[in-house]
Structure formats: structure tokens, C-alpha cells
Amino acid sequence: MQTVKIIRYGLYDSRKEMLNVKSSPRRKVMHFEFDFIINCDKDATSYINDKSCALKPNMLIIRKPEQTSCSKLHFKCFCLHLLIEKDSQFYLELSNLPSYYHLINSKVYHALFESLFTHIIKNPLEQQDYFVYSKLLELFYYLKKDASTNKNN
């Protein structure tokens, strides 16, 4: 699974990162970004290209390379950013997934992110092992499985 590299992972809290800011600046997405929303303000919103979506706890957002994105703040999420080789099967499959996942088994996703991050914290990221790869494959499996019920998002 050398075609996938973890760029960033962890708990993101926009209140800590952008305390006195109401919206994040529009930016071009450079790699795949996965945000599992833990909590958010009632008017927090994600903007990806020409679509917008009100954020809700236990939803998942996927941003893909070359998209433009910004957010109306504030929210807290598990974030995972992956660099994936363009000629890999994963790049193509993830590129075709919906951007917003409302209808998911949030307990499964929450546990997946939590176990992945706990493992990475305890083990050097430079030595990505089978556990890390298995969790990424599990994430890809659930995203593909849940895509049909979230395709209009």
C-alpha cells in the first residue's frame, strides 16, 4: 500500500486554530482529506466547489485534490489527510465518492479513526505497518459501502 501516505492526522478544533475567525479562507485542496465531525456550532457549514452542506455531529466529509474548499466555523473533528498516487486504484475510487456522508454508522467510523490515531501515536508514523494499512483499507471499504446511500450529497 505504498501508494498511500498519511500527511496529517488527529483531532482538529477550529476554535483553537482560528479563535476569532468566522470562516476559513477558500483554498485549493492538495490531497484527500477526511473529516469526521464530532461537534459543531449550529450554523457551521462546509463549502466544496459549488456545494454547501450544514455540518452535523457524526457526519463525514471527503475533500479531494483540485477541489476548492472553505468552512463557516466552528467545529471539532477527527481529520485524516492522505497523499495518494494518481495512478492508483484508490485515487480513482476515492475521487468518485460523495463529498458529504450523512447516513453512516457513526460508531464504526468513530472507533476506526480513534483506533488508527491511537496506534499511530504509540508507533512511529515513518514505520507504517499492517495495522495502519488495515485501518485505511477498512475506511475505504466503509466509504465505498456507504456511498450509495449518500450519493446525492
Side-chain angles (χ1 to χ4, degrees):
M1 196 164 183
Q2 295 297 331
T3 60
V4 178
K5 181 178 179 182
I6 296 175
I7 302 296
R8 181 179 179 181
Y9 67 93
L11 186 64
Y12 175 82
D13 185 346
S14 67
R15 284 194 199 289
K16 291 182 179 177
E17 300 286 329
M18 302 180 175
L19 179 62
N20 297 316
V21 178
K22 300 270 186 205
S23 297
S24 64
R26 183 163 289 281
R27 64 186 175 84
K28 184 176 181 180
V29 177
M30 303 306 289
H31 41 264
F32 288 93
E33 301 177 3
F34 305 88
D35 290 349
F36 177 80
I37 306 300
I38 297 169
N39 61 47
C40 57
D41 290 356
K42 68 177 184 177
D43 57 346
T45 307
S46 169
Y47 301 92
I48 299 175
N49 291 343
D50 58 347
K51 290 186 176 184
S52 66
C53 180
L55 298 182
K56 302 285 184 218
N58 299 318
M59 70 175 287
L60 187 109
I61 302 168
I62 303 175
R63 291 180 204 85
K64 300 151 194 153
E66 305 301 316
Q67 291 180 323
T68 57
S69 178
C70 64
S71 300
K72 185 173 181 186
L73 305 174
H74 284 281
F75 61 91
K76 186 185 289 186
C77 68
F78 286 130
C79 72
L80 177 66
H81 297 189
L82 302 176
L83 180 62
I84 301 176
E85 292 178 12
K86 281 189 174 184
D87 60 350
S88 76
Q89 173 188 354
F90 298 122
Y91 191 97
L92 180 62
E93 288 186 11
L94 294 171
S95 294
N96 290 317
L97 293 177
S99 294
Y100 301 109
Y101 281 68
H102 295 280
L103 304 171
I104 58 174
N105 182 338
S106 59
K107 290 179 183 179
V108 168
Y109 284 88
H110 191 279
L112 196 157
F113 280 103
E114 209 167 51
S115 65
L116 175 62
F117 296 163
T118 300
H119 181 82
I120 293 171
I121 289 167
K122 292 180 180 179
N123 300 280
L125 191 55
E126 305 84 47
Q127 299 175 354
Q128 289 185 18
D129 56 25
Y130 291 125
F131 183 87
V132 171
Y133 296 139
S134 73
K135 288 299 173 184
L136 292 176
L137 287 172
E138 187 179 353
L139 174 63
F140 298 168
Y141 165 79
Y142 282 113
L143 290 170
K144 191 168 182 178
K145 178 179 168 277
D146 293 335
S148 62
T149 55
N150 291 279
K151 65 183 171 190
N152 295 323
N153 297 319

